[in-house]
């Protein structure tokens, strides 16, 4: 028996992932099979293609995760899967696989909230974080700030009223003809540009919530007025406007909650400018910043296993008749 090892499965969007994590912190294996190439020519994730690819990949990915960890089903203490939020058909593939394995091996099943899991990615690297933490989760589907008061005690204090930050990166990259996914491409291009070249708007100043759709429109309008301007300057100025908004709301939430640690999660947390700015602001305000490595920021199953470990202790197993919830939120 491997001490408290959980096998977790993540299929909420376009990554098929499985991981084995011991006592919520020790990653024994983490396998991520990305479908990016399948979706790239459509400029975004196509739900039906995602579900079919998950069905094909789930078996081999789970087998790799168990093999890499050197464990068998009978060594595990629970099987977990992301039960929401995400694409309904995609979630069903992972949840069905997890329940089937739990039944076969007579193990508890744990359904995990993907957004909570992005907050828990930090605990994998840093198990001694001191709550309250102010956590920014910014991905292709979500942008929110969570105050993490303790395990199973989190509250959302701000969220996007329209597009997610990653969605804005992807849409602007498509407009600039860069490709998909846009975040890493804009991140790279912006290094050659001037972030102060174009004064794009900073939405909802003084508010806890985020908005990115006006910024995206401002980029399109700017390009119409100045079609020959350097796109590196557009990328750098756009990225700066997104990062300003993300950092501003994170710090505001930390001030209000008395949180002395800033944490990042979600795919956009891989952004180099965001990481640099959060580290700077933490130092300037006497706070700690915890920035998980990029492969724990983007979708992975290790963060699902970590969350399941804490949830199993606070709530016990999830009944096998619990379904998926595509619009699950943090309550
Ligand atoms: O968390 P994630 O892997 O999947 C979702 O749950 O959405 O996030 C994917 C998003 C995409 O929109 C991608 O463009 C963005 O994260 N992203 C980035 C960077 N790397 C990934 N955005 C900005 N800069 C990056 N370096
Ligand atoms: Zn995610």
């Amino acid at each position: 028996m491997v001490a408290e090892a959980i096998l977790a499965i993540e299929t909420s969007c376009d990554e098929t992932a499985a991981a084995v994590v011991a006592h919520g912190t020790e990653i024994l294996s983490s396998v991520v099979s990305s479908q990016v190439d399948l979706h790239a020519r459509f400029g975004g994730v196509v739900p039906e293609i995602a579900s079919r690819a998950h069905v094909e990949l789930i078996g081999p990915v789970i087998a790799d995760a168990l093999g890499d960890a050197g464990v068998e089903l009978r060594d595990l203490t629970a099987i977990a899967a992301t039960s929401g939020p995400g694409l309904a058909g995609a979630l069903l593939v992972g949840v069905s696989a997890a329940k089937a394995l739990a039944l076969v091996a007579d193990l508890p099943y744990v359904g995990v909230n993907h957004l909570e899991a992005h907050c828990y990615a930090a605990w994998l690297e840093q198990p001694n974080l001191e709550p309250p933490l102010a956590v920014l989760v910014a991905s292709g589907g979500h942008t929110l700030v969570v105050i993490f008061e303790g395990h199973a005690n989190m509250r959302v204090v701000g969220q996007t009223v329209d597009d997610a930050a990653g969605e804005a990166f992807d849409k602007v990259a498509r407009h600039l003809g860069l490709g998909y996914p846009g975040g890493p491409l804009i991140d790279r291009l912006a290094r050659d540009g001037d972030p102060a070249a174009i004064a794009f708007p900073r939405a909802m100043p003084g508010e806890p919530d985020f908005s990115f759709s006006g910024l995206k429109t401002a980029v399109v309008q700017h390009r119409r007025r100045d079609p020959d301007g350097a796109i590196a300057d557009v990328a750098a100025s756009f990225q700066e406007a997104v990062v300003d908004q993300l950092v501003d709301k994170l710090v505001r939430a930390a001030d209000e909650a008395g949180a002395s640690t800033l944490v990042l999660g979600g795919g956009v947390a891989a952004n180099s400018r965001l990481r640099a700015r959060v580290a700077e602001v933490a130092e300037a305000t006497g706070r700690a910043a915890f920035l998980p490595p990029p492969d724990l920021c983007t979708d992975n199953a290790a963060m699902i296993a970590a969350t399941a470990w804490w949830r199993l202790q606070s709530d016990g197993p999830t009944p096998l008749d619990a379904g998926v919830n595509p619009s699950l939120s943090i309550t």
Side-chain angles (χ1 to χ4, degrees):
M1 164 83 82
V2 178
E4 305 286 346
I6 292 182
L7 167 70
I9 299 168
E10 155 64 38
T11 61
S12 65
C13 191
D14 62 343
E15 326 278 2
T16 315
V20 179
V21 175
H23 43 81
T25 53
E26 193 188 338
I27 302 175
L28 302 182
S29 66
S30 180
V31 179
V32 180
S33 174
S34 173
Q35 305 174 7
V36 157
D37 294 348
L38 291 178
H39 301 282
R41 67 193 174 101
F42 301 102
V45 178
V46 182
E48 186 56 32
I49 293 177
S51 309
R52 287 182 201 193
H54 286 311
V55 169
E56 279 174 25
L57 292 165
I58 191 85
V61 165
I62 291 171
D64 281 357
L66 291 172
D68 289 357
V71 299
E72 295 182 23
L73 276 184
R74 64 167 179 271
D75 298 323
L76 300 168
T77 48
I79 314 271
T82 304
S83 58
L87 303 168
L91 289 166
L92 273 170
V93 178
V95 164
S96 307
K99 287 179 179 175
L101 290 174
L103 269 174
V104 165
D106 195 22
L107 289 170
Y109 158 71
V110 188
V112 171
N113 181 324
H114 181 90
L115 297 176
E116 258 187 49
H118 273 304
C119 300
Y120 268 100
W123 292 86
L124 282 162
E125 288 269 310
Q126 194 63 272
N128 300 319
L129 289 170
E130 279 287 328
L133 317 170
V135 189
L136 170 68
V137 178
S139 71
H142 304 276
T143 299
L144 60 161
V145 173
V146 177
I147 298 300
F148 186 107
E149 304 271 13
H151 297 293
N153 183 4
M154 299 175 215
R155 59 196 163 88
V156 177
V157 292
Q159 55 195 315
T160 183
V161 297
D162 42 53
D163 291 350
E167 191 180 355
F169 270 101
D170 294 338
K171 286 178 175 171
V172 166
R174 182 152 55 161
H175 179 71
L176 297 178
L178 297 177
Y180 172 84
L185 299 167
I186 289 188
D187 192 347
R188 215 170 303 137
L189 182 61
R191 287 174 204 162
D192 302 326
D194 174 5
I198 307 148
F200 287 129
R202 270 63 173 163
M204 306 183 81
E207 305 272 334
D209 287 333
F210 303 81
S211 167
F212 297 103
S213 73
L215 173 58
K216 181 191 64 195
T217 308
V219 173
V220 174
Q221 285 170 344
H222 170 82
R223 294 272 298 156
R224 264 192 217 129
R225 280 194 306 273
D226 182 14
D228 301 321
I231 64 165
D233 284 346
V234 177
S237 301
F238 159 77
Q239 176 174 270
E240 201 65 12
V242 174
V243 169
D244 268 354
Q245 203 187 140
L246 294 174
V247 172
D248 181 57
K249 317 271 175 188
L250 175 64
V251 171
R252 182 199 146 93
D255 283 344
E256 281 184 4
S260 58
T261 302
L262 307 179
V263 177
L264 294 184
V268 179
N271 183 267
S272 60
R273 184 71 184 136
L274 176 62
R275 295 172 79 88
R277 288 279 307 281
V278 168
E280 265 169 40
V281 79
E283 187 161 344
T285 58
R287 292 188 169 99
F290 190 70
L291 316 174
D295 59 338
L296 289 179
C297 292
T298 50
D299 286 350
N300 66 87
M303 68 181 191
I304 307 299
T307 314
W309 192 73
W310 293 101
R311 276 286 166 188
L312 195 56
Q313 294 181 49
S314 60
D315 301 356
T318 306
L320 282 177
D321 61 358
V324 301
N325 182 351
S327 51
L328 188 63
S329 57
I330 291 180
T331 48

